[in-house]
mmCIF file of all heavy atoms in Angstrom:
data_model
loop_
_atom_site.group_PDB
_atom_site.id
_atom_site.type_symbol
_atom_site.label_atom_id
_atom_site.label_comp_id
_atom_site.label_asym_id
_atom_site.label_seq_id
_atom_site.Cartn_x
_atom_site.Cartn_y
_atom_site.Cartn_z
ATOM 1 N N LEU A 1 62.248 64.771 -8.686
ATOM 2 C CA LEU A 1 62.415 63.513 -9.415
ATOM 3 C C LEU A 1 63.123 63.766 -10.714
ATOM 4 O O LEU A 1 63.984 62.955 -11.126
ATOM 5 C CB LEU A 1 60.950 62.952 -9.658
ATOM 6 C CG LEU A 1 60.854 61.553 -10.306
ATOM 7 C CD1 LEU A 1 61.532 60.511 -9.447
ATOM 8 C CD2 LEU A 1 59.335 61.223 -10.523
ATOM 9 N N MET A 2 62.800 64.887 -11.405
ATOM 10 C CA MET A 2 63.521 65.242 -12.636
ATOM 11 C C MET A 2 64.964 65.545 -12.354
ATOM 12 O O MET A 2 65.856 65.196 -13.153
ATOM 13 C CB MET A 2 62.853 66.459 -13.280
ATOM 14 C CG MET A 2 61.416 66.130 -13.823
ATOM 15 S SD MET A 2 60.592 67.675 -14.304
ATOM 16 C CE MET A 2 61.566 68.233 -15.684
ATOM 17 N N ALA A 3 65.262 66.163 -11.209
ATOM 18 C CA ALA A 3 66.626 66.540 -10.872
ATOM 19 C C ALA A 3 67.495 65.297 -10.656
ATOM 20 O O ALA A 3 68.747 65.351 -10.797
ATOM 21 C CB ALA A 3 66.630 67.404 -9.580
ATOM 22 N N LYS A 4 66.845 64.115 -10.362
ATOM 23 C CA LYS A 4 67.622 62.946 -10.200
ATOM 24 C C LYS A 4 68.072 62.421 -11.587
ATOM 25 O O LYS A 4 68.987 61.548 -11.607
ATOM 26 C CB LYS A 4 66.766 61.855 -9.521
ATOM 27 C CG LYS A 4 66.553 62.040 -7.996
ATOM 28 C CD LYS A 4 65.671 60.967 -7.405
ATOM 29 C CE LYS A 4 65.418 61.236 -5.937
ATOM 30 N NZ LYS A 4 64.411 60.302 -5.375
ATOM 31 N N HIS A 5 67.442 62.886 -12.629
ATOM 32 C CA HIS A 5 67.810 62.496 -13.966
ATOM 33 C C HIS A 5 68.335 63.738 -14.700
ATOM 34 O O HIS A 5 67.797 64.164 -15.694
ATOM 35 C CB HIS A 5 66.562 61.946 -14.717
ATOM 36 C CG HIS A 5 65.970 60.745 -14.080
ATOM 37 N ND1 HIS A 5 66.227 59.491 -14.511
ATOM 38 C CD2 HIS A 5 65.125 60.560 -12.991
ATOM 39 C CE1 HIS A 5 65.558 58.617 -13.772
ATOM 40 N NE2 HIS A 5 64.903 59.267 -12.860
ATOM 41 N N LYS A 6 69.399 64.279 -14.120
ATOM 42 C CA LYS A 6 69.919 65.584 -14.579
ATOM 43 C C LYS A 6 70.574 65.551 -15.913
ATOM 44 O O LYS A 6 70.659 66.604 -16.560
ATOM 45 C CB LYS A 6 70.866 66.143 -13.508
ATOM 46 C CG LYS A 6 70.655 67.652 -13.291
ATOM 47 C CD LYS A 6 71.194 68.149 -12.034
ATOM 48 C CE LYS A 6 70.768 69.592 -11.877
ATOM 49 N NZ LYS A 6 71.193 70.190 -10.626
ATOM 50 N N THR A 7 70.932 64.422 -16.390
ATOM 51 C CA THR A 7 71.634 64.298 -17.728
ATOM 52 C C THR A 7 70.560 64.416 -18.874
ATOM 53 O O THR A 7 71.020 64.557 -19.998
ATOM 54 C CB THR A 7 72.374 63.000 -17.810
ATOM 55 O OG1 THR A 7 71.531 61.911 -17.612
ATOM 56 C CG2 THR A 7 73.578 62.965 -16.865
ATOM 57 N N GLU A 8 69.285 64.272 -18.523
ATOM 58 C CA GLU A 8 68.289 64.273 -19.627
ATOM 59 C C GLU A 8 68.083 65.711 -20.148
ATOM 60 O O GLU A 8 68.272 66.710 -19.434
ATOM 61 C CB GLU A 8 66.906 63.781 -19.074
ATOM 62 C CG GLU A 8 66.914 62.461 -18.453
ATOM 63 C CD GLU A 8 67.305 61.267 -19.381
ATOM 64 O OE1 GLU A 8 67.265 61.473 -20.612
ATOM 65 O OE2 GLU A 8 67.687 60.215 -18.869
ATOM 66 N N LYS A 9 67.667 65.779 -21.423
ATOM 67 C CA LYS A 9 67.308 67.072 -21.975
ATOM 68 C C LYS A 9 65.773 67.016 -22.187
ATOM 69 O O LYS A 9 65.241 66.297 -22.966
ATOM 70 C CB LYS A 9 67.995 67.281 -23.338
ATOM 71 C CG LYS A 9 67.837 68.706 -23.878
ATOM 72 C CD LYS A 9 68.621 68.900 -25.161
ATOM 73 C CE LYS A 9 68.537 70.326 -25.611
ATOM 74 N NZ LYS A 9 69.075 70.568 -26.966
ATOM 75 N N TYR A 10 65.148 67.874 -21.325
ATOM 76 C CA TYR A 10 63.657 67.793 -21.188
ATOM 77 C C TYR A 10 62.925 68.731 -22.181
ATOM 78 O O TYR A 10 63.354 69.883 -22.408
ATOM 79 C CB TYR A 10 63.233 68.216 -19.819
ATOM 80 C CG TYR A 10 63.612 67.234 -18.725
ATOM 81 C CD1 TYR A 10 64.823 67.377 -18.045
ATOM 82 C CD2 TYR A 10 62.758 66.212 -18.346
ATOM 83 C CE1 TYR A 10 65.148 66.489 -17.000
ATOM 84 C CE2 TYR A 10 63.078 65.256 -17.393
ATOM 85 C CZ TYR A 10 64.328 65.428 -16.734
ATOM 86 O OH TYR A 10 64.662 64.541 -15.723
ATOM 87 N N LEU A 11 61.862 68.183 -22.825
ATOM 88 C CA LEU A 11 60.930 69.024 -23.608
ATOM 89 C C LEU A 11 59.602 69.162 -22.834
ATOM 90 O O LEU A 11 59.108 68.207 -22.272
ATOM 91 C CB LEU A 11 60.622 68.311 -24.924
ATOM 92 C CG LEU A 11 59.763 69.109 -25.951
ATOM 93 C CD1 LEU A 11 60.461 70.319 -26.438
ATOM 94 C CD2 LEU A 11 59.321 68.208 -27.027
ATOM 95 N N VAL A 12 59.131 70.448 -22.732
ATOM 96 C CA VAL A 12 57.953 70.710 -21.998
ATOM 97 C C VAL A 12 56.841 71.269 -22.901
ATOM 98 O O VAL A 12 56.816 72.495 -23.218
ATOM 99 C CB VAL A 12 58.160 71.681 -20.799
ATOM 100 C CG1 VAL A 12 56.934 71.786 -19.918
ATOM 101 C CG2 VAL A 12 59.394 71.330 -20.020
ATOM 102 N N PRO A 13 55.937 70.404 -23.467
ATOM 103 C CA PRO A 13 54.834 70.943 -24.279
ATOM 104 C C PRO A 13 53.811 71.700 -23.466
ATOM 105 O O PRO A 13 53.390 71.217 -22.413
ATOM 106 C CB PRO A 13 54.204 69.631 -24.893
ATOM 107 C CG PRO A 13 55.196 68.514 -24.560
ATOM 108 C CD PRO A 13 55.846 68.914 -23.319
ATOM 109 N N LEU A 14 53.398 72.840 -23.957
ATOM 110 C CA LEU A 14 52.461 73.690 -23.170
ATOM 111 C C LEU A 14 51.323 74.224 -24.098
ATOM 112 O O LEU A 14 51.397 74.144 -25.329
ATOM 113 C CB LEU A 14 53.201 74.918 -22.585
ATOM 114 C CG LEU A 14 54.319 74.577 -21.564
ATOM 115 C CD1 LEU A 14 55.208 75.786 -21.270
ATOM 116 C CD2 LEU A 14 53.676 74.067 -20.257
ATOM 117 N N SER A 15 50.398 74.839 -23.399
ATOM 118 C CA SER A 15 49.316 75.513 -24.089
ATOM 119 C C SER A 15 49.756 76.912 -24.486
ATOM 120 O O SER A 15 50.715 77.444 -23.936
ATOM 121 C CB SER A 15 48.078 75.650 -23.170
ATOM 122 O OG SER A 15 47.183 76.648 -23.676
ATOM 123 N N SER A 16 49.127 77.489 -25.482
ATOM 124 C CA SER A 16 49.493 78.894 -25.866
ATOM 125 C C SER A 16 49.290 79.866 -24.673
ATOM 126 O O SER A 16 49.923 80.932 -24.593
ATOM 127 C CB SER A 16 48.675 79.354 -27.051
ATOM 128 O OG SER A 16 47.292 79.265 -26.777
ATOM 129 N N VAL A 17 48.406 79.507 -23.802
ATOM 130 C CA VAL A 17 48.171 80.377 -22.593
ATOM 131 C C VAL A 17 48.827 79.650 -21.391
ATOM 132 O O VAL A 17 48.378 78.632 -20.943
ATOM 133 C CB VAL A 17 46.666 80.584 -22.291
ATOM 134 C CG1 VAL A 17 46.449 81.437 -21.063
ATOM 135 C CG2 VAL A 17 45.983 81.210 -23.503
ATOM 136 N N HIS A 18 49.982 80.148 -20.986
ATOM 137 C CA HIS A 18 50.685 79.584 -19.793
ATOM 138 C C HIS A 18 51.540 80.681 -19.182
ATOM 139 O O HIS A 18 51.778 81.737 -19.736
ATOM 140 C CB HIS A 18 51.585 78.386 -20.258
ATOM 141 C CG HIS A 18 52.694 78.790 -21.221
ATOM 142 N ND1 HIS A 18 52.533 78.825 -22.573
ATOM 143 C CD2 HIS A 18 53.949 79.228 -20.974
ATOM 144 C CE1 HIS A 18 53.640 79.255 -23.151
ATOM 145 N NE2 HIS A 18 54.514 79.518 -22.220
ATOM 146 N N ASN A 19 51.895 80.360 -17.931
ATOM 147 C CA ASN A 19 52.818 81.321 -17.242
ATOM 148 C C ASN A 19 54.247 80.726 -17.193
ATOM 149 O O ASN A 19 54.485 79.624 -17.758
ATOM 150 C CB ASN A 19 52.329 81.647 -15.815
ATOM 151 C CG ASN A 19 52.074 80.343 -15.021
ATOM 152 O OD1 ASN A 19 52.811 79.384 -15.167
ATOM 153 N ND2 ASN A 19 51.109 80.352 -14.149
ATOM 154 N N ASP A 20 55.145 81.384 -16.491
ATOM 155 C CA ASP A 20 56.539 80.897 -16.484
ATOM 156 C C ASP A 20 56.870 80.075 -15.251
ATOM 157 O O ASP A 20 58.070 79.889 -14.957
ATOM 158 C CB ASP A 20 57.506 82.113 -16.514
ATOM 159 C CG ASP A 20 57.531 82.738 -17.931
ATOM 160 O OD1 ASP A 20 57.284 82.029 -18.944
ATOM 161 O OD2 ASP A 20 57.804 83.970 -18.053
ATOM 162 N N ASP A 21 55.885 79.588 -14.584
ATOM 163 C CA ASP A 21 56.093 78.840 -13.297
ATOM 164 C C ASP A 21 57.002 77.645 -13.551
ATOM 165 O O ASP A 21 57.962 77.410 -12.772
ATOM 166 C CB ASP A 21 54.769 78.397 -12.683
ATOM 167 C CG ASP A 21 53.937 79.549 -12.095
ATOM 168 O OD1 ASP A 21 54.475 80.670 -12.173
ATOM 169 O OD2 ASP A 21 52.836 79.302 -11.625
ATOM 170 N N ILE A 22 56.679 76.815 -14.542
ATOM 171 C CA ILE A 22 57.505 75.604 -14.757
ATOM 172 C C ILE A 22 58.908 75.996 -15.197
ATOM 173 O O ILE A 22 59.922 75.462 -14.644
ATOM 174 C CB ILE A 22 56.816 74.725 -15.877
ATOM 175 C CG1 ILE A 22 55.426 74.270 -15.383
ATOM 176 C CG2 ILE A 22 57.732 73.505 -16.209
ATOM 177 C CD1 ILE A 22 54.701 73.461 -16.409
ATOM 178 N N LYS A 23 59.040 76.941 -16.120
ATOM 179 C CA LYS A 23 60.360 77.439 -16.556
ATOM 180 C C LYS A 23 61.198 77.891 -15.360
ATOM 181 O O LYS A 23 62.375 77.491 -15.223
ATOM 182 C CB LYS A 23 60.156 78.618 -17.528
ATOM 183 C CG LYS A 23 61.494 79.122 -18.090
ATOM 184 C CD LYS A 23 61.225 80.325 -18.982
ATOM 185 C CE LYS A 23 62.529 80.835 -19.582
ATOM 186 N NZ LYS A 23 63.546 81.245 -18.686
ATOM 187 N N ASP A 24 60.612 78.671 -14.453
ATOM 188 C CA ASP A 24 61.331 79.225 -13.324
ATOM 189 C C ASP A 24 61.813 78.076 -12.358
ATOM 190 O O ASP A 24 62.906 78.111 -11.841
ATOM 191 C CB ASP A 24 60.519 80.218 -12.559
ATOM 192 C CG ASP A 24 60.207 81.456 -13.410
ATOM 193 O OD1 ASP A 24 60.901 81.716 -14.401
ATOM 194 O OD2 ASP A 24 59.239 82.219 -13.047
ATOM 195 N N MET A 25 60.897 77.128 -12.172
ATOM 196 C CA MET A 25 61.235 75.995 -11.260
ATOM 197 C C MET A 25 62.408 75.160 -11.793
ATOM 198 O O MET A 25 63.328 74.819 -11.097
ATOM 199 C CB MET A 25 60.021 75.086 -11.098
ATOM 200 C CG MET A 25 59.063 75.529 -10.076
ATOM 201 S SD MET A 25 57.745 74.316 -9.906
ATOM 202 C CE MET A 25 56.317 75.302 -10.327
ATOM 203 N N LEU A 26 62.339 74.874 -13.143
ATOM 204 C CA LEU A 26 63.415 74.114 -13.747
ATOM 205 C C LEU A 26 64.717 74.844 -13.865
ATOM 206 O O LEU A 26 65.783 74.285 -13.676
ATOM 207 C CB LEU A 26 62.941 73.550 -15.133
ATOM 208 C CG LEU A 26 61.690 72.665 -15.095
ATOM 209 C CD1 LEU A 26 61.406 72.174 -16.518
ATOM 210 C CD2 LEU A 26 61.765 71.470 -14.127
ATOM 211 N N ASP A 27 64.591 76.168 -14.161
ATOM 212 C CA ASP A 27 65.792 76.996 -14.190
ATOM 213 C C ASP A 27 66.508 77.018 -12.830
ATOM 214 O O ASP A 27 67.705 76.931 -12.698
ATOM 215 C CB ASP A 27 65.451 78.429 -14.576
ATOM 216 C CG ASP A 27 65.220 78.550 -16.095
ATOM 217 O OD1 ASP A 27 65.582 77.640 -16.827
ATOM 218 O OD2 ASP A 27 64.648 79.575 -16.535
ATOM 219 N N ALA A 28 65.723 77.110 -11.813
ATOM 220 C CA ALA A 28 66.250 77.218 -10.436
ATOM 221 C C ALA A 28 67.052 75.923 -10.023
ATOM 222 O O ALA A 28 68.054 75.995 -9.304
ATOM 223 C CB ALA A 28 65.083 77.415 -9.403
ATOM 224 N N LYS A 29 66.630 74.799 -10.624
ATOM 225 C CA LYS A 29 67.294 73.561 -10.347
ATOM 226 C C LYS A 29 68.400 73.231 -11.395
ATOM 227 O O LYS A 29 68.939 72.167 -11.400
ATOM 228 C CB LYS A 29 66.282 72.426 -10.267
ATOM 229 C CG LYS A 29 65.391 72.428 -9.018
ATOM 230 C CD LYS A 29 66.146 71.967 -7.847
ATOM 231 C CE LYS A 29 65.190 72.000 -6.636
ATOM 232 N NZ LYS A 29 65.903 71.734 -5.358
ATOM 233 N N LYS A 30 68.557 74.194 -12.338
ATOM 234 C CA LYS A 30 69.547 74.047 -13.449
ATOM 235 C C LYS A 30 69.281 72.807 -14.258
ATOM 236 O O LYS A 30 70.196 72.002 -14.619
ATOM 237 C CB LYS A 30 70.961 74.073 -12.892
ATOM 238 C CG LYS A 30 71.359 75.394 -12.297
ATOM 239 C CD LYS A 30 72.775 75.458 -11.894
ATOM 240 C CE LYS A 30 73.269 76.846 -11.566
ATOM 241 N NZ LYS A 30 72.505 77.545 -10.501
ATOM 242 N N ILE A 31 67.982 72.537 -14.528
ATOM 243 C CA ILE A 31 67.601 71.333 -15.339
ATOM 244 C C ILE A 31 67.536 71.821 -16.804
ATOM 245 O O ILE A 31 66.903 72.782 -17.114
ATOM 246 C CB ILE A 31 66.212 70.754 -14.846
ATOM 247 C CG1 ILE A 31 66.429 70.131 -13.433
ATOM 248 C CG2 ILE A 31 65.680 69.760 -15.845
ATOM 249 C CD1 ILE A 31 65.102 69.791 -12.765
ATOM 250 N N ASN A 32 68.174 71.065 -17.645
ATOM 251 C CA ASN A 32 68.266 71.376 -19.080
ATOM 252 C C ASN A 32 66.851 71.077 -19.725
ATOM 253 O O ASN A 32 66.390 69.974 -19.748
ATOM 254 C CB ASN A 32 69.311 70.501 -19.731
ATOM 255 C CG ASN A 32 69.577 70.863 -21.210
ATOM 256 O OD1 ASN A 32 68.835 71.715 -21.758
ATOM 257 N ND2 ASN A 32 70.558 70.224 -21.776
ATOM 258 N N HIS A 33 66.204 72.138 -20.221
ATOM 259 C CA HIS A 33 64.858 71.967 -20.693
ATOM 260 C C HIS A 33 64.495 73.023 -21.831
ATOM 261 O O HIS A 33 65.121 74.097 -21.880
ATOM 262 C CB HIS A 33 63.837 72.072 -19.570
ATOM 263 C CG HIS A 33 63.781 73.451 -18.994
ATOM 264 N ND1 HIS A 33 64.704 73.940 -18.132
ATOM 265 C CD2 HIS A 33 62.855 74.439 -19.185
ATOM 266 C CE1 HIS A 33 64.379 75.159 -17.811
ATOM 267 N NE2 HIS A 33 63.295 75.500 -18.416
ATOM 268 N N THR A 34 63.499 72.671 -22.570
ATOM 269 C CA THR A 34 62.944 73.604 -23.547
ATOM 270 C C THR A 34 61.430 73.615 -23.465
ATOM 271 O O THR A 34 60.835 72.503 -23.515
ATOM 272 C CB THR A 34 63.305 73.083 -25.017
ATOM 273 O OG1 THR A 34 64.694 72.857 -25.038
ATOM 274 C CG2 THR A 34 62.910 74.132 -26.044
ATOM 275 N N GLU A 35 60.826 74.788 -23.355
ATOM 276 C CA GLU A 35 59.325 74.843 -23.409
ATOM 277 C C GLU A 35 58.937 75.091 -24.847
ATOM 278 O O GLU A 35 59.635 75.730 -25.610
ATOM 279 C CB GLU A 35 58.789 76.018 -22.598
ATOM 280 C CG GLU A 35 58.959 75.853 -21.093
ATOM 281 C CD GLU A 35 60.240 76.548 -20.635
ATOM 282 O OE1 GLU A 35 60.672 77.511 -21.334
ATOM 283 O OE2 GLU A 35 60.770 76.151 -19.646
ATOM 284 N N CYS A 36 57.765 74.541 -25.257
ATOM 285 C CA CYS A 36 57.258 74.837 -26.572
ATOM 286 C C CYS A 36 55.738 74.778 -26.498
ATOM 287 O O CYS A 36 55.155 74.101 -25.672
ATOM 288 C CB CYS A 36 57.773 73.771 -27.572
ATOM 289 S SG CYS A 36 57.257 72.138 -27.171
ATOM 290 N N VAL A 37 55.061 75.503 -27.409
ATOM 291 C CA VAL A 37 53.638 75.468 -27.441
ATOM 292 C C VAL A 37 53.192 74.446 -28.466
ATOM 293 O O VAL A 37 53.710 74.408 -29.615
ATOM 294 C CB VAL A 37 53.095 76.902 -27.893
ATOM 295 C CG1 VAL A 37 51.609 76.887 -28.168
ATOM 296 C CG2 VAL A 37 53.425 77.939 -26.832
ATOM 297 N N MET A 38 52.320 73.541 -28.081
ATOM 298 C CA MET A 38 51.816 72.458 -28.929
ATOM 299 C C MET A 38 50.287 72.572 -29.183
ATOM 300 O O MET A 38 49.784 71.882 -30.036
ATOM 301 C CB MET A 38 52.163 71.099 -28.400
ATOM 302 C CG MET A 38 53.646 70.746 -28.639
ATOM 303 S SD MET A 38 53.982 68.970 -28.353
ATOM 304 C CE MET A 38 55.672 68.883 -28.886
ATOM 305 N N TYR A 39 49.605 73.359 -28.349
ATOM 306 C CA TYR A 39 48.122 73.427 -28.441
ATOM 307 C C TYR A 39 47.637 74.698 -27.924
ATOM 308 O O TYR A 39 48.313 75.466 -27.251
ATOM 309 C CB TYR A 39 47.447 72.217 -27.748
ATOM 310 C CG TYR A 39 47.847 72.053 -26.304
ATOM 311 C CD1 TYR A 39 47.023 72.496 -25.284
ATOM 312 C CD2 TYR A 39 49.044 71.381 -25.970
ATOM 313 C CE1 TYR A 39 47.336 72.342 -23.955
ATOM 314 C CE2 TYR A 39 49.357 71.186 -24.623
ATOM 315 C CZ TYR A 39 48.559 71.690 -23.615
ATOM 316 O OH TYR A 39 48.902 71.508 -22.291
ATOM 317 N N ARG A 40 46.344 75.056 -28.248
ATOM 318 C CA ARG A 40 45.790 76.290 -27.743
ATOM 319 C C ARG A 40 44.293 76.089 -27.443
ATOM 320 O O ARG A 40 43.698 75.120 -27.931
ATOM 321 C CB ARG A 40 45.904 77.416 -28.868
ATOM 322 C CG ARG A 40 45.301 77.013 -30.114
ATOM 323 C CD ARG A 40 45.348 78.124 -31.196
ATOM 324 N NE ARG A 40 45.217 77.548 -32.527
ATOM 325 C CZ ARG A 40 46.213 77.462 -33.425
ATOM 326 N NH1 ARG A 40 47.392 78.013 -33.202
ATOM 327 N NH2 ARG A 40 45.953 76.847 -34.621
ATOM 328 N N THR A 41 43.792 76.951 -26.569
ATOM 329 C CA THR A 41 42.354 76.870 -26.251
ATOM 330 C C THR A 41 41.588 77.945 -27.019
ATOM 331 O O THR A 41 42.046 79.076 -27.082
ATOM 332 C CB THR A 41 42.163 77.012 -24.694
ATOM 333 O OG1 THR A 41 42.823 78.223 -24.273
ATOM 334 C CG2 THR A 41 42.670 75.864 -23.920
ATOM 335 N N VAL A 42 40.462 77.507 -27.662
ATOM 336 C CA VAL A 42 39.665 78.467 -28.338
ATOM 337 C C VAL A 42 38.228 78.344 -27.804
ATOM 338 O O VAL A 42 37.794 77.320 -27.352
ATOM 339 C CB VAL A 42 39.708 78.220 -29.852
ATOM 340 C CG1 VAL A 42 41.080 78.519 -30.431
ATOM 341 C CG2 VAL A 42 39.274 76.833 -30.179
ATOM 342 N N SER A 43 37.441 79.431 -27.936
ATOM 343 C CA SER A 43 36.063 79.456 -27.492
ATOM 344 C C SER A 43 35.240 78.458 -28.307
ATOM 345 O O SER A 43 35.316 78.358 -29.502
ATOM 346 C CB SER A 43 35.545 80.862 -27.607
ATOM 347 O OG SER A 43 34.172 80.895 -27.177
ATOM 348 N N ASN A 44 34.450 77.643 -27.552
ATOM 349 C CA ASN A 44 33.573 76.653 -28.169
ATOM 350 C C ASN A 44 32.207 77.348 -28.349
ATOM 351 O O ASN A 44 31.365 77.259 -27.429
ATOM 352 C CB ASN A 44 33.531 75.400 -27.302
ATOM 353 C CG ASN A 44 32.824 74.264 -28.002
ATOM 354 O OD1 ASN A 44 32.487 74.287 -29.118
ATOM 355 N ND2 ASN A 44 32.607 73.178 -27.201
ATOM 356 N N ASP A 45 32.014 78.071 -29.406
ATOM 357 C CA ASP A 45 30.874 78.978 -29.544
ATOM 358 C C ASP A 45 29.506 78.279 -29.480
ATOM 359 O O ASP A 45 29.333 77.178 -29.962
ATOM 360 C CB ASP A 45 30.952 79.797 -30.804
ATOM 361 C CG ASP A 45 32.156 80.774 -30.804
ATOM 362 O OD1 ASP A 45 32.625 81.061 -29.654
ATOM 363 O OD2 ASP A 45 32.602 81.173 -31.860
ATOM 364 N N PHE A 46 28.570 78.961 -28.859
ATOM 365 C CA PHE A 46 27.216 78.463 -28.700
ATOM 366 C C PHE A 46 26.417 78.736 -29.970
ATOM 367 O O PHE A 46 26.582 79.821 -30.635
ATOM 368 C CB PHE A 46 26.496 79.132 -27.527
ATOM 369 C CG PHE A 46 26.878 78.568 -26.143
ATOM 370 C CD1 PHE A 46 28.143 78.687 -25.720
ATOM 371 C CD2 PHE A 46 25.955 78.006 -25.370
ATOM 372 C CE1 PHE A 46 28.559 78.218 -24.450
ATOM 373 C CE2 PHE A 46 26.261 77.503 -24.117
ATOM 374 C CZ PHE A 46 27.568 77.622 -23.661
ATOM 375 N N SER A 47 25.561 77.742 -30.397
ATOM 376 C CA SER A 47 24.711 78.008 -31.547
ATOM 377 C C SER A 47 23.595 78.928 -31.172
ATOM 378 O O SER A 47 23.298 79.127 -29.958
ATOM 379 C CB SER A 47 24.180 76.636 -32.023
ATOM 380 O OG SER A 47 23.292 76.097 -31.022
ATOM 381 N N ASP A 48 22.819 79.441 -32.127
ATOM 382 C CA ASP A 48 21.702 80.278 -31.886
ATOM 383 C C ASP A 48 20.605 79.559 -31.027
ATOM 384 O O ASP A 48 20.025 80.165 -30.127
ATOM 385 C CB ASP A 48 21.076 80.773 -33.139
ATOM 386 C CG ASP A 48 21.988 81.817 -33.888
ATOM 387 O OD1 ASP A 48 22.890 82.363 -33.230
ATOM 388 O OD2 ASP A 48 21.828 81.989 -35.107
#
C-alpha cells in the first residue's frame, strides 16, 4: 500500500528497542523513509 504512494517521504516513529525489520522491508521496495526513536519502555517498578 505504501509502495503505491512512492512519491511520499515516510517518517517511521519507533521505540528505543526495535529491530531492523521495517527498515529492511522498506529498503527492499526502495521506499523513501526515515526511522526515528520517539519513545522508550522503562520498568514500572513495584513498591515495597
